Amino acid sequence: MLELKDRWVWDFWFCEDAGVHHIFYLQAEKTLGDERLRHFNARIGHASSTNYIDWDILPEALSPGEPGDWDDQATWTGSTFHHGDTWYLFYTGVNKGEKGLIQRVGVATSKDLIHWDKYAGNPIIEADSKWYELLDLDAWHDHAWRDPWVFEHEGMFHAYITARVNYGVPDSRGVIAHAVSTDLLNWKVKQPVTEPGDFGQLEVPQLIQQNDEYHLVFSTDKFTHSQTYLERTGRQPITGAARYSSNSALGPFKRCDDPWLFGDKSGTLYSAKALDVRGDDWTLIAFENYAQNGEFIGRIVDPFKVIKPK
């Protein structure tokens, strides 16, 4: 597994180059003492592997900006995309002036996956109040606009983003937002690809294809289950990974009777990414989150298999 002695490690994403798997992950120093402080001290680490098990630690990919920058508080989860001769690292940024409450999406570029330059025009994707909730502390604890997952489909670039709609019961507003681009730098925000109702937030999205079906994998914790979801399903809240499905990469993505890939009350694993989907066997990776005694672990486990819910 990927475990660092002096740093907590949590949300992550992958890309591949010449048969080598690269992982980018959030990290924060354990000297902070309280793990709850890690979010506003997060930086983006980088490692590589040929088997997703044995990792070589590489230079840190991204850190917060200079004082006064849009991302001077922390750099959070995103995705890495290759186009032409350039790698694009899309990430979430928050700043101290706004007390880390408002999230935006920026990008950095690289020719070698090691040396990254932040784009001068950052941030490049911000929430549009036509569809999405802005900062409203009476409704939610932050302005959710994070975790961009970028992909190409039919000649356009698309980003799926953790967000909340601007209507409905506050605990049920969580959706996956959608933005489109022709050049990876200029983006137009569109309506969400999921319907609200189940959760307060759907985090770290990933789009995967299985034959003619598309799955939008996301993670959510027990504290963000909406009352509507609990009443509709009659299930106790859990923390883990789930998925909605569609016959199109662009949705809409619909809930199923049992969306969970894995989950439990302790929140043992989180931020799942699918590595391989064959038949009913899904191979996933996640980070080790909380132990049963509530202690935060903060390391990334080896690949494991689950059976896709029917």
Side-chain angles (χ1 to χ4, degrees), residues 101 103 133-146 162-165 169-174 199-203 220-221 223-226:
L101 295 175
Q103 302 156 16
E133 177 186 278
L134 304 183
L135 183 63
D136 181 356
L137 295 179
D138 291 329
W140 202 245
H141 57 268
D142 61 17
H143 170 186
W145 192 259
R146 63 183 181 275
T162 292
R164 287 168 50 84
V165 292
V169 180
D171 71 0
S172 68
R173 294 183 181 182
F199 308 106
Q201 60 188 23
L202 288 67
E203 298 191 287
T220 193
D221 66 58
F223 301 108
T224 64
H225 290 49
S226 73

Side-chain angles (χ1 to χ4, degrees), residues 155-291:
M156 292 284 289
F157 303 108
H158 302 264
Y160 286 162
I161 301 167
T162 292
R164 287 168 50 84
V165 292
N166 55 12
Y167 62 89
V169 180
D171 71 0
S172 68
R173 294 183 181 182
V175 294
I176 298 297
H178 184 201
V180 298
S181 173
T182 58
D183 62 4
L184 294 169
L185 297 176
N186 298 282
W187 292 83
K188 180 180 180 180
V189 175
K190 299 174 71 69
Q191 65 191 62
V193 295
T194 65
E195 291 291 334
D198 282 354
F199 308 106
Q201 60 188 23
L202 288 67
E203 298 191 287
V204 292
Q206 177 195 20
L207 178 68
I208 62 173
Q209 183 177 3
Q210 184 183 28
N211 299 321
D212 295 329
E213 191 172 24
Y214 293 86
H215 302 285
L216 188 55
V217 178
F218 61 91
S219 292
T220 193
D221 66 58
K222 60 185 179 182
F223 301 108
T224 64
H225 290 49
S226 73
Q227 189 63 35
T228 300
Y229 174 81
L230 298 177
E231 292 173 353
R232 178 171 59 82
T233 64
R235 298 189 179 97
Q236 292 298 310
I238 59 175
T239 294
R243 60 92 172 93
Y244 294 160
S245 300
S246 175
N247 59 9
S248 168
L250 304 183
F253 292 87
K254 302 295 185 181
R255 67 170 68 97
C256 58
D257 290 338
D258 184 4
W260 295 97
L261 294 167
F262 64 77
D264 58 35
K265 293 181 180 179
S266 299
T268 305
L269 297 174
Y270 204 70
S271 186
K273 289 290 186 293
L275 299 180
D276 193 17
V277 178
R278 298 185 182 182
D280 287 338
D281 290 334
W282 290 38
T283 301
L284 306 178
I285 286 187
F287 81 80
E288 201 166 0
N289 192 17
Y290 289 103

Side-chain angles (χ1 to χ4, degrees), residues 5-270:
K5 291 183 179 179
D6 59 344
R7 283 163 284 171
W8 291 299
V9 174
W10 64 106
D11 289 3
F12 60 92
W13 61 96
F14 295 104
C15 69
E16 183 176 334
D17 184 37
V20 176
H21 309 296
H22 290 259
I23 184 172
F24 297 87
Y25 51 86
L26 301 192
Q27 60 179 3
E29 301 291 333
K30 292 182 179 178
T31 53
L32 290 168
D34 186 345
E35 63 90 6
R36 291 172 295 181
L37 299 176
R38 63 190 161 92
H39 295 292
F40 291 118
N41 290 276
R43 309 161 78 92
I44 298 177
H46 183 195
S48 65
S49 173
T50 58
N51 59 9
Y52 293 106
I53 296 174
D54 304 300
W55 295 98
D56 295 319
I57 305 302
L58 298 172
E60 185 173 80
L62 283 184
S63 59
E66 297 297 321
D69 287 352
W70 73 282
D71 61 352
D72 69 0
Q73 176 78 67
T75 50
W76 289 347
T77 311
S79 59
T80 305
F81 186 81
H82 190 242
H83 181 64
D85 63 351
T86 302
W87 289 93
Y88 294 78
L89 195 163
F90 298 89
Y91 69 99
T92 308
V94 292
N95 64 70
K96 295 178 180 178
E98 297 167 337
K99 299 180 180 179
L101 295 175
I102 299 177
Q103 302 156 16
R104 300 176 177 88
V105 172
V107 68
T109 59
S110 173
K111 299 298 185 181
D112 60 6
L113 283 172
I114 302 297
H115 304 92
W116 294 93
D117 296 310
K118 293 181 180 179
Y119 176 53
N122 281 335
I124 58 170
I125 318 178
E126 300 187 55
D128 187 337
S129 61
K130 178 179 180 179
W131 291 292
Y132 301 105
E133 177 186 278
L134 304 183
L135 183 63
D136 181 356
L137 295 179
D138 291 329
W140 202 245
H141 57 268
D142 61 17
H143 170 186
W145 192 259
R146 63 183 181 275
D147 306 346
W149 179 265
V150 174
F151 63 98
E152 187 174 5
H153 181 70
E154 296 182 348
M156 292 284 289
F157 303 108
H158 302 264
Y160 286 162
I161 301 167
T162 292
R164 287 168 50 84
V165 292
N166 55 12
Y167 62 89
V169 180
D171 71 0
S172 68
R173 294 183 181 182
V175 294
I176 298 297
H178 184 201
V180 298
S181 173
T182 58
D183 62 4
L184 294 169
L185 297 176
N186 298 282
W187 292 83
K188 180 180 180 180
V189 175
K190 299 174 71 69
Q191 65 191 62
V193 295
T194 65
E195 291 291 334
D198 282 354
F199 308 106
Q201 60 188 23
L202 288 67
E203 298 191 287
V204 292
Q206 177 195 20
L207 178 68
I208 62 173
Q209 183 177 3
Q210 184 183 28
N211 299 321
D212 295 329
E213 191 172 24
Y214 293 86
H215 302 285
L216 188 55
V217 178
F218 61 91
S219 292
T220 193
D221 66 58
K222 60 185 179 182
F223 301 108
T224 64
H225 290 49
S226 73
Q227 189 63 35
T228 300
Y229 174 81
L230 298 177
E231 292 173 353
R232 178 171 59 82
T233 64
R235 298 189 179 97
Q236 292 298 310
I238 59 175
T239 294
R243 60 92 172 93
Y244 294 160
S245 300
S246 175
N247 59 9
S248 168
L250 304 183
F253 292 87
K254 302 295 185 181
R255 67 170 68 97
C256 58
D257 290 338
D258 184 4
W260 295 97
L261 294 167
F262 64 77
D264 58 35
K265 293 181 180 179
S266 299
T268 305
L269 297 174
Y270 204 70

